[in-house]
Amino acid sequence: MTRIGEELYAHVGALYPIFRSITGPGLRQTLDYIGRQIPLRVQEIPSGTQVLDWVVPPEWSVRSATIETRDGRTVVDFAEHGLHLVHYSQPIDRLVPLDELQEHLHSLPDQPTLIPYRTSYYKESWGFCLAHEVRTRLRDPAYRVRIDTTLAPGSLSLGEAFLPGDEAGEVLISAHICHPQLANDNLSGIAVAIALAQKLTARRRRFGYRFLFMPGTIGAVAWLHQNRDARARIHHGLVLTCLGDPGPPTYKRSRQGASLIDRCAAHVLSDEGFADRILPFTPWGYDERQYCSPGFDLPVGCLMRSPSGAFPEYHTSADDLSLVTPAALADSLSRLDRILSMAEDDHRPVNAMPYGEPQLGPRGLYFSPTDDPQPFATETLLWVLNLSDARHSLLDIAERAGRPFEEVAAAARVLSAKGLLRRAEVR
Amino acid sequence: MTRIGEELYAHVGALYPIFRSITGPGLRQTLDYIGRQIPLRVQEIPSGTQVLDWVVPPEWSVRSATIETRDGRTVVDFAEHGLHLVHYSQPIDRLVPLDELQEHLHSLPDQPTLIPYRTSYYKESWGFCLAHEVRTRLRDPAYRVRIDTTLAPGSLSLGEAFLPGDEAGEVLISAHICHPQLANDNLSGIAVAIALAQKLTARRRRFGYRFLFMPGTIGAVAWLHQNRDARARIHHGLVLTCLGDPGPPTYKRSRQGASLIDRCAAHVLSDEGFADRILPFTPWGYDERQYCSPGFDLPVGCLMRSPSGAFPEYHTSADDLSLVTPAALADSLSRLDRILSMAEDDHRPVNAMPYGEPQLGPRGLYFSPTDDPQPFATETLLWVLNLSDARHSLLDIAERAGRPFEEVAAAARVLSAKGLLRRAEVR
Amino acid sequence: MTRIGEELYAHVGALYPIFRSITGPGLRQTLDYIGRQIPLRVQEIPSGTQVLDWVVPPEWSVRSATIETRDGRTVVDFAEHGLHLVHYSQPIDRLVPLDELQEHLHSLPDQPTLIPYRTSYYKESWGFCLAHEVRTRLRDPAYRVRIDTTLAPGSLSLGEAFLPGDEAGEVLISAHICHPQLANDNLSGIAVAIALAQKLTARRRRFGYRFLFMPGTIGAVAWLHQNRDARARIHHGLVLTCLGDPGPPTYKRSRQGASLIDRCAAHVLSDEGFADRILPFTPWGYDERQYCSPGFDLPVGCLMRSPSGAFPEYHTSADDLSLVTPAALADSLSRLDRILSMAEDDHRPVNAMPYGEPQLGPRGLYFSPTDDPQPFATETLLWVLNLSDARHSLLDIAERAGRPFEEVAAAARVLSAKGLLRRAEVR
């Protein structure tokens, strides 16, 4: 746990200094890093390509951006923090009167020391984000504003990794990678996704696992554009974000609301005592809004700790390496693994001796208090026998019995080994 | 609002002095008055006609009714208040010993100054209603009782107004008109129905609107007798009663319980903070008990303020012009209009771009805090886009989004205007 | 009530002294007793017979069992209490060192004066149960242990009584008879079942009633083995146990959860104010675990007072004739009768005049406060008329109206007598 926590934190640390946006060199550097951890297929979609209702924007690259006094003192410098520049700012190099400049500045009066994060991808503009306490000190009549950026035909970069499974269905794991120098949102999601892919590589998998590392919205839209058949292929999935802060876990349901992944995540959070952190679907948030658009309606929920907008550091310079912790990252990975493992293991068992109870004693299944402790209570064993009628899944049984899924699954494994259970043919 | 309140109150004031029963001249005067406000078809059904399980009773008319002392002092006089006479009292003119007279008197010991309202339509009888404090002063050994009434073949009068709509379904609006000199129950219902008909006349209507002004029970039974196909024609409906008192609104569900009108009324009352005033169906009350009899089972609920029996003035002389107020009447009309408009506007929208989210910015649908305020939140717009899958109606969307129906409808109109929504073919 | 209570208590008193186990002479004596009260068919299934997954065990008979000091003082004597001997103890006659003996002793440190009840049907063993205060006085280095028992081929005895009904479906009433000298668990169940059979014999019955008096588990398994078609024949049923203690009633639902018997029992307990004593199904307890095994899944619940394990006298020598009372036994019989009568009477009535309300007055169904009191409120009459649409059963109506079933049934009977209701053809 400590080791994996450190590993996860190291990914966040390595990616934090890179300046990212929805296109451009930082995005590619990020994908390069991921590609060194897990086998990744990177795709470039040219600017101007129509994807669903959207068009791939020009590629944006930044060389420098400053606000200086007329006597050459630097007031705001992009080189100091990537959040200083509004994303997709147009180039500019001129003296700007303070009044005009103010219309291009963004700060947080209630958090005067923090730099906010702002973008203007689809509206031509330029602007700076800065600490409010710095902004209030701007009193000169005019400032020299220099933004050395390029907005030019290029491409949108998407990373995709696929681990095949025994069955046809795929599990979608999606993390956005467009946020610049924000640690929890969303380097934590990238780190956890990398580690999950590494873990799964070593395992036999029932489902295939498809990892998407893409810029928010436009990336998901582009991928869905290429995968119109997603509904038929995607068995379930999760968007990963904000998984490194110290807050308790949060699960936001998919639009379907009670799909397998929704039930697995809700079972895990309830079992952990976080039933109040299971949120209903809403058509805003992260890329689940694309996956859950009505034409696709994929069973894809969103796993978080503190949800977007619900922690004070959200979308500010305070979402830095001090906000995320190895322990929180490791805990998130462990929970994610538990949820996905449940979906892997769930099936509808069939009692091979459904008429009356089978005799447990001769099969070594009658445990007395002096026997070695079993990973399940005798009551759980009886529940599995009683409900294994090809209509109840292990998860159904766990919910009716009020026991953890894993305990029910352990009992089912023992019963299977004794020939008392088999799997239903059709899921 | 003030003007419409005064108009509504004026109807109640004009009708209050008329003595009404389930048949007879006062009933016709009442229909004449309504017919001067809106186009009304009046029908006369002869006494003795079989209607469903009932028979149209003889027509009853009253000329005078008094109780006098032997020395000629009038103790009770129908001319002073129409409630004094038990409806359908037989004629009588004789000296009645006090003991016998007491069996024919009705008063309210707990409300000693009020005259109760009593009827005996289907059992031959006679009787007087009087203030209990007057009754206790009756100490003479006998009184001269004179009831000059006629019970003779005549007819039952029914008033009906119909406003055709674009679609085939009809909305039933039913008000009973048989109560004598009671303002809230039910002149308020008549007044609100008249004003609603006037409002609807000026509008394009999706549904037809059928207004019924009829004596309670026998009138509804007679109309249903003639309209055995009501189930096929009536899309939904409301019984209107007790709409003028100062109490909060009440909605009593139809037998179906969750029909469109039930959901619209429940949505409106919930949105107004009156969720606790939504009552389940019971097979007693007003004419909904006929409309909701099992052979018809029409989706017809009952809109009220203080429900029958739940206000102290109910069925007494205190249900007079001082109980109802212009403001309460206007508020009732406005609520009724809102409920019926919801049913008019509800439909299942279909997202024309269901794959991923459509781009809002280029369509002028991306609103920033500095834009003019919209009649809907951006979240509501996103809910409509997300749930417009031909399976969710606007009302379904409003309920899932937890937003007022009208806000959802406004968002849907804007999206339709932008070509992002169309209507599902089949409702 | 007093008489029937005494009768029930007399059955318990007559059966209490008999030593019973799952086979053997005491079991036959018990069936003999039952057979003297009601016509009983007794069946003997030979040891070694395979029944479902089980095998009928050898027959066990006990002549004597003692623990003596070496100088001949008797410390524990089966002749004093049948609970002293662990059931199915093998014969033994030798001096046993105290250390070894302790491994064969069972006592209750928390209830030091009580003898516990223990069995070892399916594992070769021997042992004694004794008061903990007696056990702690055992200090000799060795004791003379004599168990004079026989485990030999014989048979398993099952008692069955059947009362045919007008319809094909059968009601299963099951009581286990294998417990030795325990009054509440389960002589109370046997006594109530006997009295129920006697009551039902004198009545016209819609369903057939099948009474099973059998040793727990192996008896139910054997019966089910012979009755693989039980699912098709058994309309519903109840396991009877722990019906004589002074605790409030308890109902444990069948696996189906909302079958007719579940709803009837839940209605009765709710109506009596014991809604909190309605328990969900669990796959442990009494023979409902066999009847509700997934292959059979019979709608068979369990009626009790204090549930097994939930009263301190459970499975100890304190479950004696002082624990059960005539009043509790009579109350249990009365509740059982009420539940089963509801299931007999329930049906889906059809309103013969479903269009509008029928006129009640001319049919003598319009009751005024001065009329004789009726066994039902007028509101109940209106509910029955309103919901008698061939889709609602009397129980459905009772639940929607919030009235006791019997009141609804009384109203339905009166309406039927007036020709206003008929029965739906198909249940």
Side-chain angles (χ1 to χ4, degrees):
Chain A
M1 176 99 158
T2 303
R3 197 191 52 78
I4 188 71
E6 296 303 333
E7 253 183 63
L8 288 160
Y9 192 81
H11 292 315
V12 176
L15 293 167
Y16 184 75
I18 304 172
F19 176 75
R20 272 168 296 274
S21 187
I22 56 170
T23 59
L27 194 69
R28 283 193 197 93
Q29 268 181 270
T30 301
L31 289 170
D32 281 351
Y33 179 86
I34 299 169
R36 286 195 298 277
Q37 318 302 322
I38 55 173
L40 195 72
R41 185 173 75 92
V42 176
Q43 191 187 161
E44 300 285 346
I45 305 181
S47 300
T49 307
Q50 175 88 25
V51 286
L52 299 178
D53 189 47
W54 301 64
V55 174
V56 173
E59 191 171 319
W60 185 59
S61 32
V62 188
R63 278 165 302 279
S64 66
T66 52
I67 303 175
E68 290 171 18
T69 57
R70 262 182 301 190
D71 56 6
R73 190 172 51 82
T74 302
V75 178
V76 175
D77 188 350
F78 168 78
E80 283 181 3
H81 204 297
L83 291 182
H84 274 315
L85 188 60
V86 170
H87 283 223
Y88 271 62
S89 281
Q90 308 275 333
I92 178 173
D93 181 358
R94 64 174 166 88
L95 197 68
V96 178
L98 180 56
D99 280 3
E100 183 189 344
L101 179 59
Q102 286 289 8
E103 293 173 14
H104 294 265
L105 297 184
H106 306 271
S107 62
L108 302 166
D110 294 342
Q111 297 172 300
T113 64
L114 306 185
I115 310 165
Y117 164 50
R118 293 286 183 278
T119 68
S120 187
Y121 303 133
Y122 301 105
K123 190 175 167 189
E124 291 196 4
S125 180
W126 62 265
F128 283 87
C129 302
L130 68 170
H132 197 67
E133 63 182 21
V134 173
R135 183 178 186 172
T136 54
R137 289 197 295 268
L138 299 181
R139 306 233 170 107
D140 294 359
Y143 289 86
R144 177 82 188 211
V145 175
R146 284 200 185 92
I147 299 180
D148 182 10
T149 54
T150 314
L151 272 161
S155 62
L156 180 77
S157 312
L158 309 185
E160 193 166 352
F162 183 63
L163 305 176
D166 293 339
E167 296 186 10
E170 296 181 7
V171 179
L172 196 71
I173 302 295
S174 177
H176 62 276
I177 58 170
C178 53
H179 282 33
Q181 285 173 276
L182 293 169
N184 196 36
D185 179 7
N186 189 46
L187 299 181
S188 66
I190 298 171
V192 170
I194 288 170
L196 175 70
Q198 291 170 335
K199 270 191 144 178
L200 288 173
T201 302
R203 281 193 207 153
R204 177 154 188 181
R205 298 169 299 273
R206 172 172 169 188
F207 300 115
Y209 284 79
R210 189 168 296 278
F211 293 81
L212 304 181
F213 299 92
M214 310 182 308
T217 304
I218 187 69
V221 163
W223 186 85
L224 286 168
H225 180 84
Q226 298 174 345
N227 293 273
R228 292 269 190 149
D229 65 339
R231 182 68 187 261
R233 276 168 38 212
I234 302 301
H235 193 273
H236 58 269
L238 286 171
V239 169
L240 302 183
T241 185
C242 300
L243 290 168
D245 68 275
T250 303
Y251 178 69
K252 175 184 162 182
R253 291 180 185 273
S254 77
R255 182 183 189 267
Q256 296 185 18
S259 71
L260 180 62
I261 191 71
D262 295 312
R263 293 181 62 207
C264 290
H267 180 87
V268 167
L269 266 72
S270 296
D271 184 51
E272 294 180 329
F274 298 117
D276 62 324
R277 308 277 302 182
I278 304 163
L279 307 180
F281 175 74
T282 55
W284 51 86
Y286 292 96
D287 283 332
E288 68 274 12
R289 59 199 282 183
Q290 306 306 327
Y291 303 129
C292 296
S293 59
F296 291 108
D297 193 20
L298 304 181
V300 173
C302 181
L303 188 66
M304 302 170 269
R305 300 185 77 88
S306 296
S308 62
F311 54 103
E313 301 87 353
Y314 175 73
H315 277 196
T316 73
S317 51
D319 181 358
D320 62 14
L321 291 172
S322 71
L323 176 62
V324 307
T325 71
L329 289 162
D331 176 65
S332 294
L333 175 63
S334 159
R335 179 173 300 103
L336 171 63
D337 195 7
R338 185 178 173 198
I339 294 168
L340 295 175
S341 295
M342 277 180 58
E344 286 268 312
D345 291 349
D346 196 35
H347 66 277
R348 293 184 289 107
V350 182
N351 190 326
M353 298 208 136
Y355 294 97
E357 289 183 290
Q359 231 184 325
L360 299 179
R363 292 183 174 85
L365 293 171
Y366 190 86
F367 305 105
S368 80
T370 57
D371 288 324
D372 286 342
Q374 297 297 316
F376 46 81
T378 292
E379 286 80 1
T380 304
L381 196 80
L382 295 176
W383 272 119
V384 175
L385 282 171
N386 189 266
L387 294 180
S388 51
D389 57 5
R391 289 186 297 117
H392 292 83
S393 69
L394 291 184
L395 182 51
D396 293 333
I397 297 173
E399 289 182 352
R400 180 146 176 197
R403 306 297 309 171
F405 177 88
E406 292 80 3
E407 183 186 333
V408 168
R413 271 193 299 276
V414 166
L415 290 170
S416 296
K418 300 290 183 182
L420 287 173
L421 287 190
R422 53 179 180 77
R423 288 195 174 216
E425 290 304 310
V426 184
R427 267 175 65 78
Chain B
M1 176 96 159
T2 304
R3 196 191 52 75
I4 187 71
E6 296 303 333
E7 254 183 60
L8 287 159
Y9 192 80
H11 292 315
V12 176
L15 292 166
Y16 184 74
I18 303 172
F19 177 77
R20 271 168 299 274
S21 188
I22 56 169
T23 59
L27 194 70
R28 284 194 196 91
Q29 268 181 271
T30 301
L31 289 170
D32 280 352
Y33 178 87
I34 298 169
R36 286 195 298 277
Q37 318 302 322
I38 57 172
L40 195 72
R41 183 174 77 92
V42 176
Q43 193 190 157
E44 299 286 346
I45 304 181
S47 300
T49 306
Q50 175 88 24
V51 285
L52 299 177
D53 189 46
W54 301 64
V55 174
V56 173
E59 192 171 319
W60 185 59
S61 31
V62 187
R63 279 165 301 279
S64 66
T66 53
I67 302 175
E68 290 171 18
T69 56
R70 261 184 300 191
D71 57 4
R73 192 169 52 82
T74 300
V75 178
V76 176
D77 189 349
F78 169 77
E80 283 180 3
H81 203 297
L83 291 181
H84 274 314
L85 188 59
V86 170
H87 283 225
Y88 270 62
S89 280
Q90 308 275 334
I92 179 174
D93 183 357
R94 63 174 166 89
L95 198 67
V96 178
L98 180 56
D99 279 2
E100 183 189 345
L101 179 60
Q102 287 289 10
E103 293 172 15
H104 293 264
L105 298 184
H106 305 272
S107 63
L108 301 166
D110 294 341
Q111 295 171 300
T113 63
L114 306 185
I115 311 166
Y117 164 50
R118 293 287 182 278
T119 69
S120 188
Y121 303 134
Y122 301 105
K123 190 176 167 188
E124 290 195 7
S125 179
W126 63 265
F128 283 86
C129 300
L130 70 170
H132 196 66
E133 63 182 20
V134 174
R135 182 178 185 172
T136 53
R137 288 197 296 266
L138 298 181
R139 307 233 171 109
D140 294 358
Y143 288 86
R144 176 82 188 211
V145 176
R146 283 201 184 91
I147 300 181
D148 183 11
T149 55
T150 312
L151 272 163
S155 62
L156 180 76
S157 312
L158 309 184
E160 194 166 350
F162 183 65
L163 305 175
D166 292 341
E167 295 187 9
E170 296 181 7
V171 179
L172 196 70
I173 302 295
S174 176
H176 62 275
I177 58 170
C178 53
H179 282 32
Q181 285 171 278
L182 294 168
N184 197 35
D185 178 7
N186 189 46
L187 299 180
S188 67
I190 299 172
V192 169
I194 289 170
L196 175 70
Q198 291 169 335
K199 270 191 143 178
L200 288 172
T201 301
R203 283 192 205 153
R204 176 153 188 183
R205 297 168 301 271
R206 172 172 169 190
F207 299 114
Y209 284 79
R210 187 167 299 278
F211 292 82
L212 303 182
F213 298 93
M214 310 181 309
T217 305
I218 188 70
V221 163
W223 186 85
L224 286 168
H225 181 85
Q226 296 174 345
N227 293 273
R228 291 267 192 153
D229 66 339
R231 181 67 188 261
R233 278 166 38 211
I234 302 301
H235 193 274
H236 57 270
L238 287 171
V239 169
L240 303 183
T241 184
C242 300
L243 289 168
D245 68 275
T250 302
Y251 177 70
K252 176 183 161 182
R253 291 182 185 272
S254 77
R255 181 182 187 268
Q256 296 185 19
S259 70
L260 180 62
I261 191 73
D262 294 313
R263 293 181 62 206
C264 290
H267 181 86
V268 167
L269 265 72
S270 297
D271 184 52
E272 294 179 330
F274 298 117
D276 62 325
R277 308 278 302 181
I278 304 164
L279 307 180
F281 175 73
T282 54
W284 51 86
Y286 291 96
D287 284 332
E288 68 275 12
R289 58 198 285 181
Q290 306 305 328
Y291 302 129
C292 297
S293 58
F296 292 107
D297 194 19
L298 304 181
V300 173
C302 181
L303 189 66
M304 304 170 267
R305 300 184 79 86
S306 296
S308 62
F311 54 103
E313 302 86 355
Y314 174 71
H315 276 198
T316 74
S317 50
D319 182 357
D320 63 15
L321 291 172
S322 71
L323 177 62
V324 307
T325 70
L329 289 163
D331 177 65
S332 294
L333 175 62
S334 159
R335 179 172 301 104
L336 172 64
D337 195 8
R338 186 178 172 197
I339 293 169
L340 295 175
S341 295
M342 277 180 58
E344 287 267 313
D345 290 350
D346 196 36
H347 67 277
R348 293 184 290 107
V350 182
N351 189 328
M353 299 209 135
Y355 294 97
E357 290 182 288
Q359 230 184 327
L360 299 179
R363 293 184 172 86
L365 293 171
Y366 190 85
F367 305 104
S368 80
T370 58
D371 288 322
D372 287 341
Q374 296 297 315
F376 47 82
T378 292
E379 286 81 0
T380 304
L381 196 80
L382 294 175
W383 271 119
V384 174
L385 282 170
N386 189 267
L387 293 181
S388 51
D389 56 6
R391 289 184 297 116
H392 292 83
S393 69
L394 292 185
L395 182 52
D396 294 333
I397 298 172
E399 289 182 352
R400 182 147 175 196
R403 306 296 309 170
F405 176 89
E406 291 79 4
E407 183 185 334
V408 169
R413 271 193 299 277
V414 167
L415 290 169
S416 295
K418 300 290 183 181
L420 286 174
L421 287 192
R422 53 178 180 78
R423 288 194 176 216
E425 291 303 310
V426 183
R427 269 174 63 80
Chain C
M1 177 97 159
T2 304
R3 196 190 53 76
I4 187 70
E6 296 304 333
E7 252 182 65
L8 287 160
Y9 192 80
H11 291 317
V12 175
L15 292 168
Y16 184 73
I18 303 173
F19 177 75
R20 271 169 298 275
S21 188
I22 56 170
T23 59
L27 196 70
R28 284 193 196 94
Q29 267 181 273
T30 301
L31 289 170
D32 282 350
Y33 179 87
I34 299 169
R36 287 196 297 275
Q37 317 303 322
I38 57 172
L40 194 72
R41 185 171 75 92
V42 177
Q43 191 187 159
E44 299 286 345
I45 304 181
S47 300
T49 306
Q50 175 89 23
V51 287
L52 299 176
D53 189 46
W54 302 65
V55 174
V56 173
E59 191 171 318
W60 185 59
S61 30
V62 188
R63 278 165 301 279
S64 66
T66 52
I67 302 175
E68 289 171 20
T69 57
R70 261 182 300 189
D71 56 5
R73 192 170 51 81
T74 302
V75 178
V76 175
D77 190 349
F78 169 76
E80 282 180 5
H81 204 297
L83 292 182
H84 274 315
L85 187 60
V86 170
H87 283 224
Y88 270 61
S89 280
Q90 308 274 334
I92 178 174
D93 183 356
R94 64 174 167 89
L95 199 66
V96 178
L98 180 57
D99 280 4
E100 184 190 343
L101 179 60
Q102 286 290 7
E103 293 173 14
H104 293 266
L105 298 185
H106 305 272
S107 63
L108 302 166
D110 293 343
Q111 296 171 299
T113 63
L114 306 185
I115 311 165
Y117 164 50
R118 292 288 183 279
T119 68
S120 188
Y121 304 133
Y122 302 104
K123 190 176 166 187
E124 290 195 6
S125 181
W126 63 266
F128 284 87
C129 301
L130 69 168
H132 197 66
E133 63 182 20
V134 173
R135 182 178 187 173
T136 54
R137 287 196 296 267
L138 297 182
R139 308 228 171 109
D140 294 358
Y143 289 85
R144 176 84 188 211
V145 175
R146 283 201 186 92
I147 299 181
D148 183 10
T149 53
T150 314
L151 272 163
S155 62
L156 180 77
S157 313
L158 309 183
E160 195 167 350
F162 183 64
L163 305 175
D166 292 341
E167 296 186 9
E170 295 180 9
V171 178
L172 196 70
I173 302 295
S174 176
H176 61 277
I177 57 171
C178 53
H179 282 33
Q181 285 171 280
L182 292 169
N184 196 35
D185 179 5
N186 189 47
L187 299 180
S188 68
I190 299 172
V192 169
I194 290 170
L196 175 70
Q198 290 169 336
K199 270 190 144 179
L200 288 172
T201 302
R203 283 193 206 154
R204 177 155 188 180
R205 298 168 300 272
R206 172 170 169 190
F207 300 115
Y209 283 80
R210 188 168 297 278
F211 293 82
L212 303 182
F213 298 92
M214 309 182 310
T217 304
I218 187 70
V221 164
W223 187 85
L224 287 168
H225 182 85
Q226 298 174 343
N227 292 273
R228 291 269 190 148
D229 65 338
R231 182 66 187 261
R233 277 166 38 210
I234 303 301
H235 193 274
H236 58 271
L238 287 171
V239 169
L240 302 184
T241 185
C242 301
L243 290 169
D245 68 275
T250 302
Y251 178 70
K252 176 184 161 182
R253 292 181 185 272
S254 77
R255 182 183 189 267
Q256 296 186 18
S259 70
L260 180 61
I261 191 72
D262 294 314
R263 294 180 63 207
C264 289
H267 180 87
V268 166
L269 265 72
S270 296
D271 184 52
E272 294 179 329
F274 298 117
D276 61 325
R277 307 277 303 182
I278 303 164
L279 307 179
F281 175 73
T282 55
W284 51 85
Y286 291 97
D287 283 332
E288 67 276 11
R289 58 198 285 182
Q290 306 306 328
Y291 302 129
C292 297
S293 58
F296 291 107
D297 195 19
L298 304 181
V300 173
C302 181
L303 189 67
M304 301 170 269
R305 300 185 78 88
S306 296
S308 62
F311 54 103
E313 301 87 353
Y314 175 71
H315 276 196
T316 74
S317 51
D319 182 356
D320 62 14
L321 291 171
S322 72
L323 177 62
V324 307
T325 69
L329 289 163
D331 177 65
S332 294
L333 176 62
S334 157
R335 179 172 301 103
L336 172 64
D337 195 9
R338 186 177 172 198
I339 293 168
L340 295 175
S341 295
M342 278 180 58
E344 287 266 313
D345 290 350
D346 196 36
H347 67 277
R348 294 183 290 107
V350 182
N351 189 326
M353 299 209 135
Y355 295 97
E357 290 183 288
Q359 231 184 325
L360 298 179
R363 291 184 174 84
L365 293 172
Y366 190 86
F367 305 105
S368 81
T370 58
D371 287 323
D372 286 340
Q374 295 296 316
F376 47 81
T378 292
E379 285 81 0
T380 304
L381 196 81
L382 295 175
W383 271 119
V384 175
L385 282 170
N386 189 267
L387 293 180
S388 50
D389 56 5
R391 290 186 296 115
H392 292 83
S393 69
L394 291 185
L395 182 51
D396 293 334
I397 298 172
E399 289 181 353
R400 182 150 175 194
R403 306 296 309 171
F405 177 89
E406 292 79 3
E407 183 185 333
V408 168
R413 271 193 299 277
V414 166
L415 291 169
S416 296
K418 299 290 184 183
L420 287 173
L421 286 192
R422 54 180 180 77
R423 288 195 175 216
E425 290 303 310
V426 183
R427 268 175 65 79

